Amino acid sequence: MNRSSCFTGVRPLANSGSGKTTGQYSRDHHIEVLSGDWTNLSFPVYSLVGGKWTSFRAFSEQVTDKVLAFLGKSRQKYTTDLPIGGGRGYPRSEEDRKSILKAWLPD
């Protein structure tokens, strides 16, 4: 599938052809792959298009899987259980959350 892209804001978004304003462009992500036929390179070029903060991890793993497959390698690490952004250090158990709230809130 070959889609053209349009820069809207700080990230390129896929042009579905039906959007008349930038607000109508899909925020879904996809991967554009250019082969050596287009680039005269011996390897593909992967372009990440679209996506959101909430989906960047899954998107990154999808691209990584494509690159690993091209290199004939397998994934060694998954990021599913790694916290991102504001979630880093957030207490995992209800008991720990209550303990922190108790320390923060006045009696």
Side-chain angles (χ1 to χ4, degrees), residues 18-76:
S18 61
K20 293 184 171 83
T21 66
T22 56
Q24 294 173 322
Y25 284 93
S26 170
R27 271 39 180 186
D28 291 341
H29 66 263
H30 74 276
I31 304 164
E32 290 282 340
V33 182
L34 293 178
S35 68
D37 295 341
W38 284 85
T39 63
N40 292 322
L41 299 171
S42 61
F43 53 87
V45 174
Y46 301 96
S47 297
L48 289 60
V49 180
K52 303 176 191 175
W53 170 251
T54 54
S55 63
F56 83 92
R57 181 182 307 214
F59 194 12
S60 298
E61 286 198 356
Q62 290 169 8
V63 173
T64 300
D65 288 340
K66 285 189 172 292
V67 172
L68 288 171
F70 175 78
L71 297 172
K73 305 274 184 185
S74 61
R75 177 178 292 283
Q76 301 295 309

